[in-house]
Structures are given as structure tokens and as C-alpha cells.
């Protein structure tokens, strides 16, 4: 049996502070497929899965290309159903 850490959701101010991006830059990067989109928390509240944000940050820090980051984001978003169904993060 594989143990997982709990899913942690972070809100926009923390994401902006982590990356040093502006609000519009985050959404431009989401539209370009190089940053994961937020998840709905109900109503108008949204947040990001911390492990996804950390994975993208690590990819940028390691010098991954835009194409590699796009592939990473696609994989992360595809894994959401499994992660959120089990209540565990990678």
C-alpha cells in the first residue's frame, strides 16, 4: 500500500507570491498550457493544487523547455481525477 500526503489547495495570493507573477500572467500561462488551471472550490472560489504548482516550479527551475512544461501540465491535469477521487496527492 502506497502512502500519500493529503491534497493541499493554495489560493491565488500564494501562487502569485511563489512565482512573482501578476494576475494576468498566471492566466496567460494557463491559456498557453504552461501552468495548471485552478480547481473550483464551490461558488466563485478557486484554488490550485499545491503539488501541481510545485511540479511546475521545479520544471522551470530545472530548465525544462516550454514544450516539456506543457506536457507536464497535461499530465498533472489528467491525474486530477485519480488524485481527487482518492483524496491523496502525489
Amino acid at each position: 500500500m502506497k502512502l500519500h500526503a493529503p491534497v493541499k489547495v493554495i489560493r491565488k495570493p500564494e501562487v502569485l507570491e511563489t512565482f512573482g507573477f501578476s494576475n494576468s500572467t498566471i492566466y496567460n500561462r494557463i491559456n498557453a498550457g504552461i501552468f495548471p488551471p485552478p480547481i473550483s472550490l464551490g461558488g466563485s472560489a478557486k484554488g490550485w493544487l499545491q503539488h501541481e504548482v510545485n511540479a511546475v516550479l521545479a520544471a522551470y527551475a530545472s530548465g525544462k523547455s516550454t514544450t516539456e512544461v506543457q506536457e507536464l501540465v497535461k499530465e498533472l491535469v489528467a491525474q486530477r481525477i485519480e488524485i481527487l477521487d482518492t483524496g491523496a496527492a502525489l
Side-chain angles (χ1 to χ4, degrees):
M1 181 165 125
K2 195 174 186 182
L3 296 177
H4 295 283
V7 173
K8 181 169 182 196
V9 175
I10 57 176
R11 301 299 295 272
K12 190 187 319 180
E14 188 174 346
V15 173
L16 295 174
E17 185 178 323
T18 298
F19 280 87
F21 293 155
S22 68
N23 191 50
S24 61
T25 298
I26 288 285
Y27 289 101
N28 288 338
R29 287 174 177 256
I30 291 168
N31 290 333
I34 56 175
F35 201 78
I39 60 169
S40 175
L41 301 174
S44 63
K46 297 190 184 310
W48 280 261
L49 297 175
Q50 185 178 44
H51 74 275
E52 291 181 358
V53 171
N54 290 343
V56 170
L57 181 59
Y60 285 127
S62 67
K64 300 288 186 194
S65 70
T66 299
T67 303
E68 290 172 313
V69 174
Q70 285 173 327
E71 288 302 314
L72 171 63
V73 169
K74 284 180 193 175
E75 290 172 21
L76 291 169
V77 171
Q79 292 171 0
R80 284 181 177 181
I81 294 171
E82 177 184 335
I83 290 166
L84 295 175
D85 281 347
T86 62
L90 297 175

